[in-house]
Amino acid sequence: MYIRGFDINKNFVGIQMKKFLSFFLAATLSIPAFAQDKSEPLPLGPASILPTKPNELFNGWKLSPAGRAVGINSMPYKMVLSPDGQTLAAVCSGRFNGVALIDLKTEQTTQWIPLDRTFNGIIFSRDGKQLYVAGGNSDQLFIFNFDGHQLDPHFQTAHLDGEVVLFGKHPDSKNFLTGMAINPKTGLLYLCNEGKSQIWVVDPKNAKVIAKWHTEAGPYACVIGKDGRYLFVSNWGDRSVSALDIKTGEQAARVAVGIRPNEMALAPDGRLFVCCAGDNTVYSLSTTKPHEIDNNAHSANAPPPPADALEILASSLYPNSPEGSTPDAVAVSPDGKSLFVANADNNDVMIADIADHNASRVVGFVPVGWYPTAITSDGKKLFVANGKGLNSIPSWPPKTPSKKAVEGVQFDNALHNLTGSVLIIDPPTPEKLAEYTQQVRANSPYTPAELKKSPQLNDSCIPSRIGEDCPITHVLYIIKENRTYDQVYGDETDAAGHRLGNGEPKIAMFGQSVTPNQHQIARDYVLFDNFYVNSEVSEDGHNWCDLAIATDFRQRSWVTRYTKHGILPVTGDLAQTANGGIWDDCKRNGVSFMCYHEGAWAVPSANRGTWKDKGRDMNRVDSWIADLHKYEQPGNDMPQFQIMWIGENHTKGTMPGAFTPDACVASNDIAVGKVVQAATRSKYWPTMAIFIVEDDAQNGPDHVDAHRTAALVISPYCKRHYVDSTHYTQVSMLRTMELILGLPPLTQYDAAATPMFNAFTKTAIDTPYQVQTPTVNLYAKNTIHSFGAHASAKMDFDEPDEAPEDELNRVLWGATMGVNTPYPTPIHRAVFEN
C-alpha cells in the first residue's frame, strides 16, 4: 500500500504505509402554509467576479478564490445536482438552516427556504420531481415537490420516529439525521442517524420507516455500491466504512480507513472515495470486487464486499503533513477520470487524476474560499461551497437587525458574520492549474520545514529548532474565558500616563481598577496588542488552545449548538484528533506534565493536579500554589509542563445573587497575580515561563478586530516594559511552548504559527512580583434591580458560553459602562495591518 502525495518541487512521492485494515411507526405528515422569515437574509442574485488580491484572515491564512461567487447562507454542508443538470441544491446548516437553489444557466441563487433543522442530508428523487432533506437533530424528513426550476414552498414535514421534539437547550430527540442515499431500483431512502448509530430505511411514498439497521459509531454519509448489493456507510466516529447488505441490513464488512471519515463519492467504475478529515487522506475502496472476509459474518445470499482499501491519496499540499488539511467533501467527474477534494482548513480543492485505477495521482490544487464544505461537478464546471464565505467581514451596520431583551446599538455577532457562498469554477488548463497550485502554496503559511524549525528570525533564548537547548525548562499554561484586548487593556498607560499599546479607553470594561495585576504584569513585562484567538466561541476555543485545531466535527458542532439548531452528539472517537492535546505531545516525548482542570478529563489521575471545581478563582489557585510548595521540597520535582483553567472572568452576567461582573473579573485577576507572585518567589522561577491566554474573545468589543484578545507571557527571560505588536495567535503561544519543551507541532496550524520570539531575550532578569488588589468590591453581588437582571436570570451559566452571546454582551456593557453609554460596534477585519 502506498500513499501518494503531491510535492510541488519533487512531483509525486510514494511512502510505504500499513493497510488499515424493522421497527414501524406511522409518520406524521403536515403541509404548512409556508411564510418566509422576514428577518432572514435572502442571498438571491447572480454570480459575482471575485477580487484578485488575496485577503488575509485573522489567523494568518490567505484567501484568493478562483471562479465566480454566488451567495447563499453559511455552512452549506452538501450540494446535489438535479437529474437534468440545470439546478444546484444546497442544504445550509449555519446561522440559518434551509435549502438554497442555484440556476446553473443564469448562475444565480433563485430560491431560499428556511427549515427547522438540517445537516448534510439532501438528495433528489429518481425522476427529479422531489427533493428530500434530512432534519438534523430531529426525526424530521422534509419532502419538496420540484418543477425543474423551483421548490414548492408548501412542503411536507414527516416525523419519522413519531416523537415530539422540543427545540430547546437539550432537545428531547436523540436522533441526528445526516447523509442520505436513494435506491435507484426501489426508490427507498437510506438516512444516516448519527445520534443512534443507525441507518433508517424510509419509504418516501408514505414517509414511513420500514427498517432500522445498526452501524458503527456516528454514521455521516451513505452510498449504494455500483452493483447495488451493499450500502456503504462512513462511520465518522469509528475510523471505518461499513458495508451493509442492502436486503437484510446486516453488516457484511467493516473496512478500516482514516480518522473521522465523512463524505464519500462513487465513481462510475464502482470505486468509492472516502474523505478522512483527521489525517488528510482519501481512501479508495472497491464496491464490486469480492474479497475474503474474516472479520465479520455476511449474508449467505450475497457475495462479500472488499475488506481492504485499494489506494490512499494524501489531500494535503505537502506529503507527511500533520492534521490540518481537513478533507470534508469529495466529488468525481461524470467521466470518472478526475477526483475533487475540498480541504476545509487549507481553503483549497485538490484535483487528482484517477483514470488509472491503481495509480491515481494528485495533479494540483485550486484556491477557494473560507472553509469549503461541499463540492460537486457536472463535467463542465466545478462547484465549491464555502462554509464561512470569502473573507471575514464587518459586523456593522447589521445585516439582520433584531430586538433583544437588553437593548443597545444593533450589530452582528460572530455567528452572523459567517456568510456562505458557492464558487463556479471553469476547468483549468494544465498551465492555469499550475498557477492555481502556486497560489494555494502562497496562501498557506505552512510548509514542511516548520515541523522541525521555525523560519522566523530569532534573537532570543527560545530555540528555533526542536530539540535545541533552552534555559526555560518549566512552563505553566493558563487558559481564561472570553475577553477582548480592549476590554482589559484599552485603558493601558505607562507610568507617565501616556497611552500604551493600541487600545481604546472608551471600551475598557474591565480596566485598571478591576484588573490591576494584568495591567501591572503587562507593563512590567510585555504588552501584546496584536494577539488574536483562532476561535469563535468556547466550544472551539478550548480545542484551539489545547489541540491546535478545531476539527471538522467541532466546527459543525459549535455552529449547530450556538445557533440553537440542535446538539451534535459526540459519538465514538469524534472528539479525537490525530495527535491529541498538548498533554499527549508531552507524554509521547517524555515531558512530565500535570493538568489543573483543563485537560484533566483526558489524562490519568496521576497527571491531575489538586483542584476545586467549585469556588472562586482567587481561592481556587491556592491548590496550585500548595502543589508548588510541595515540589520545592527535597526529593520532589515540578512537572515540566502544567496547564490550568481559571474561568471566573466569564462572569454570570447580572444574575441576581451572583457576584457582579466586576467582582468576577477582579477575582480572576487576583488569581493571576497570586500565581505569578508564588512562581516568581519559588526556586523554579529562574527556569520558568508562564503563558496566559483567553479561550475566545466573543464576549466583548474591540476597536481593531473582534478576534483580538488579552494575552500575557511572564518569565525571567521576557523583555521588560515592552510593547510587542507582532501578529500572534493562540497557536503562536502553543508553538512557543512546544519549542521550549522540545515538542513537535500538533497540527499544520501551530507548525505554521509565528513563535513569540520577539517577546524574549537571552538574558534573565529575576524579579519577584507583588500581587495587586483591585479597587472594586470583590464580594459585591447582583440584585433584582441590577441592569439586565431579568435577562440574566434566564441565562444558563452552568457551562461556559451556554448563555446567549449577544444578550450577555449587552448586559455586561450596561452593568459595567452605564446604561447611557452607547454600545460599541464590533469589528471584523479581513486584512491585518502590522
Side-chain angles (χ1 to χ4, degrees):
M1 179 71 63
Y2 286 85
I3 183 166
R4 293 181 171 83
F6 183 77
D7 186 309
I8 292 174
N9 296 318
K10 299 180 181 179
N11 296 320
F12 308 107
V13 296
I15 303 167
Q16 185 65 36
M17 184 177 182
K18 289 183 177 180
K19 292 183 179 179
F20 284 101
L21 308 172
S22 20
F23 187 108
F24 174 87
L25 281 175
T28 303
L29 294 178
S30 61
I31 307 177
F34 184 79
Q36 173 67 49
D37 180 359
K38 298 301 182 183
S39 68
E40 183 169 341
L42 291 175
L44 307 182
S48 59
I49 303 299
L50 297 167
T52 56
K53 186 178 180 180
N55 289 319
E56 184 172 354
L57 294 173
F58 60 88
N59 59 13
W61 292 67
K62 297 182 179 67
L63 297 177
S64 53
R68 303 172 297 284
V70 180
I72 58 174
N73 279 313
S74 61
M75 289 299 183
Y77 288 149
K78 184 77 172 182
M79 298 187 298
V80 290
L81 287 164
S82 59
D84 64 7
Q86 300 300 307
T87 304
L88 185 65
V91 60
C92 299
S93 300
R95 182 188 173 208
F96 298 113
N97 281 203
V99 176
L101 292 189
I102 297 174
D103 185 305
L104 295 183
K105 184 176 181 179
T106 62
E107 295 189 351
Q108 68 176 18
T109 308
T110 57
Q111 192 175 21
W112 167 255
I113 298 181
L115 297 171
D116 290 336
R117 297 194 172 197
T118 58
F119 201 65
N120 70 319
I122 184 170
I123 199 166
F124 277 99
S125 61
R126 292 175 295 173
D127 58 10
K129 294 182 179 181
Q130 289 185 311
L131 180 71
Y132 307 113
V133 180
N137 191 197
S138 71
D139 69 342
Q140 296 176 110
L141 175 67
F142 305 108
I143 304 174
F144 295 87
N145 289 326
F146 179 64
D147 65 6
H149 301 283
Q150 293 279 291
L151 298 173
D152 185 347
H154 300 280
F155 57 89
Q156 297 178 343
T157 302
H159 287 280
L160 301 176
D161 217 18
E163 65 180 20
V164 177
V165 181
L166 302 178
F167 295 124
K169 174 190 169 187
H170 297 296
D172 280 353
S173 178
K174 302 301 182 183
N175 302 307
F176 202 104
L177 302 183
T178 58
M180 305 172 68
I182 190 166
N183 194 312
K185 295 180 180 179
T186 66
L188 292 176
L189 291 174
Y190 303 92
L191 279 72
C192 296
N193 188 338
E194 193 269 347
K196 294 182 177 177
S197 295
Q198 294 176 339
I199 296 293
W200 284 3
V201 185
V202 178
D203 185 345
K205 295 178 182 178
N206 54 21
K208 292 180 179 179
V209 178
I210 61 176
K212 295 183 178 181
W213 300 341
H214 293 285
T215 68
E216 304 296 339
Y220 186 94
C222 56
V223 172
I224 296 177
K226 181 183 178 182
D227 58 13
R229 298 177 304 178
Y230 296 98
L231 180 73
F232 291 83
V233 183
S234 61
N235 299 309
W236 204 15
D238 185 60
R239 307 187 187 191
S240 69
V241 171
S242 291
L244 304 183
D245 188 312
I246 204 72
K247 295 180 180 179
T248 67
E250 294 181 9
Q251 179 167 278
R254 175 189 175 275
V255 184
V257 292
I259 301 172
R260 297 193 309 280
N262 47 72
E263 287 293 355
M264 304 186 292
L266 186 68
D269 61 12
R271 280 179 294 169
L272 182 66
F273 292 91
V274 185
C275 283
C276 299
D279 53 10
N280 314 325
T281 59
V282 180
Y283 277 62
S284 171
L285 312 178
S286 171
T287 63
T288 57
K289 184 178 179 181
H291 285 258
E292 182 179 353
I293 302 295
D294 57 7
N295 58 340
N296 281 304
H298 63 276
S299 171
N301 297 322
D308 303 315
L310 299 175
E311 195 175 26
I312 305 171
L313 287 166
S315 72
S316 53
L317 185 60
Y318 303 98
N320 297 327
S321 297
E323 182 171 3
S325 294
T326 316
D328 68 346
V330 60
V332 176
S333 60
D335 63 8
K337 295 181 179 180
S338 297
L339 180 74
F340 308 103
V341 178
N343 287 311
D345 277 306
N346 287 169
N347 306 316
D348 69 41
V349 168
M350 180 200 83
I351 299 180
D353 180 348
I354 59 171
D356 188 335
H357 292 198
N358 295 307
S360 299
R361 56 192 185 92
V362 179
V363 296
F365 296 83
V366 178
V368 294
W370 187 8
Y371 208 82
T373 47
I375 191 168
T376 191
S377 172
D378 63 359
K380 300 175 184 178
K381 294 180 175 64
L382 182 64
F383 308 103
V384 182
N386 306 299
K388 300 184 180 182
L390 301 174
N391 53 30
S392 48
I393 61 177
S395 57
W396 187 88
K399 299 180 292 300
T400 54
S402 60
K403 188 174 180 62
K404 299 293 182 183
V406 180
E407 291 301 320
V409 174
Q410 295 289 341
F411 76 103
D412 289 331
N413 61 28
L415 286 166
H416 298 196
N417 283 283
L418 300 182
T419 58
S421 61
V422 172
L423 297 175
I424 302 175
I425 303 172
D426 297 320
T429 63
E431 293 76 19
K432 187 63 175 179
L433 184 57
E435 179 184 327
Y436 278 154
T437 301
Q438 292 296 339
Q439 184 61 58
V440 169
R441 184 181 189 183
N443 290 346
S444 168
Y446 168 78
T447 65
E450 274 91 17
L451 290 176
K452 294 184 178 180
K453 184 181 185 299
S454 173
Q456 283 81 15
L457 295 176
N458 182 12
D459 186 27
S460 76
C461 67
I462 308 300
S464 295
R465 186 181 297 276
I466 295 172
E468 291 179 345
D469 290 338
C470 180
I472 301 171
T473 56
H474 294 85
V475 169
L476 172 62
Y477 182 27
I478 299 176
I479 298 168
K480 308 198 297 113
E481 291 282 337
N482 295 40
R483 303 276 70 91
T484 68
Y485 176 91
D486 274 335
Q487 278 186 296
V488 179
Y489 294 118
D491 66 344
E492 184 67 280
T493 59
D494 61 17
H498 300 126
R499 185 180 300 182
L500 196 63
N502 184 15
E504 175 47 71
K506 294 179 181 179
I507 53 178
M509 296 169 59
F510 304 109
Q512 174 71 38
S513 62
V514 184
T515 55
N517 288 287
Q518 292 168 76
H519 280 72
Q520 187 64 52
I521 292 167
R523 285 193 295 270
D524 288 349
Y525 292 90
V526 183
L527 177 67
F528 300 99
D529 65 352
N530 199 25
F531 190 108
Y532 301 82
V533 296
N534 296 83
S535 58
E536 302 291 344
V537 297
S538 283
E539 185 166 339
D540 67 319
H542 286 272
N543 281 254
W544 282 111
C545 288
D546 301 340
L547 315 176
I549 194 170
T551 64
D552 58 318
F553 166 75
R554 193 60 66 188
Q555 292 280 10
R556 286 154 176 73
S557 175
W558 85 256
V559 170
T560 300
R561 177 167 168 252
Y562 278 66
T563 57
K564 300 191 182 300
H565 288 133
I567 297 175
L568 186 57
V570 181
T571 309
D573 61 0
L574 269 176
Q576 302 300 313
T577 57
N579 287 322
I582 181 69
W583 45 83
D584 296 303
D585 211 4
C586 288
K587 183 176 181 180
R588 284 191 297 269
N589 292 277
V591 174
S592 57
F593 65 96
M594 192 67 69
C595 299
Y596 289 83
H597 186 82
E598 188 79 9
W601 57 87
V603 301
S605 58
N607 296 105
R608 301 173 194 169
T610 306
W611 202 244
K612 296 178 181 178
D613 287 335
K614 303 296 183 180
R616 308 194 69 189
D617 284 348
M618 61 183 178
N619 301 322
R620 183 183 284 130
V621 296
D622 289 342
S623 298
W624 179 84
I625 294 171
D627 283 354
L628 173 65
H629 294 326
K630 291 179 183 178
Y631 295 138
E632 292 186 289
Q633 300 303 311
N636 295 332
D637 194 14
M638 187 167 72
Q640 295 165 268
F641 175 77
Q642 297 175 87
I643 185 169
M644 177 193 300
W645 175 82
I646 46 174
E648 194 177 358
N649 65 324
H650 183 282
T651 83
K652 292 189 176 181
T654 54
M655 177 184 288
F659 291 105
T660 65
D662 278 356
C664 290
V665 176
S667 171
N668 178 268
D669 181 75
I670 287 180
V672 170
K674 289 174 70 174
V675 166
V676 175
Q677 175 177 275
T680 58
R681 286 167 164 76
S682 77
K683 75 174 187 179
Y684 291 103
W685 186 239
T687 60
M688 193 173 176
I690 302 173
F691 294 82
I692 305 175
V693 72
E694 309 289 317
D695 75 310
D696 67 70
Q698 69 164 318
N699 284 143
D702 191 276
H703 86 282
V704 173
D705 188 276
H707 293 89
R708 194 170 66 138
T709 196
L712 289 170
V713 179
I714 312 103
S715 173
Y717 288 92
C718 276
K719 291 181 178 178
R720 298 306 178 99
H721 314 293
Y722 184 71
V723 177
D724 188 352
S725 298
T726 309
H727 174 219
Y728 298 128
T729 64
Q730 288 167 316
V731 290
S732 295
M733 189 170 278
L734 266 179
R735 180 62 161 150
T736 309
M737 292 185 286
E738 289 164 352
L739 288 168
I740 289 172
L741 298 170
L743 303 175
L746 294 166
T747 73
Q748 294 177 36
Y749 278 101
D750 53 333
T754 300
M756 303 174 78
F757 292 146
N758 200 33
F760 289 86
T761 69
K762 292 182 178 179
T763 303
I765 302 176
D766 188 351
T767 305
Y769 178 74
Q770 178 64 47
V771 67
Q772 309 289 304
T773 303
T775 58
V776 299
N777 185 351
L778 288 164
Y779 300 97
K781 291 190 175 183
N782 303 310
T783 72
I784 58 173
H785 303 295
S786 298
F787 177 81
H790 180 70
S792 294
K794 297 180 180 180
M795 297 179 187
D796 181 1
F797 294 101
D798 289 342
E799 295 292 337
D801 294 358
E802 288 286 357
E805 174 190 351
D806 184 33
E807 255 181 284
L808 178 58
N809 289 354
R810 296 175 190 279
V811 166
L812 293 177
W813 179 264
T816 57
M817 306 299 286
V819 180
N820 297 321
T821 305
Y823 192 90
T825 301
I827 300 171
H828 294 76
R829 297 187 188 277
V831 180
F832 284 114
E833 299 175 359
N834 288 330

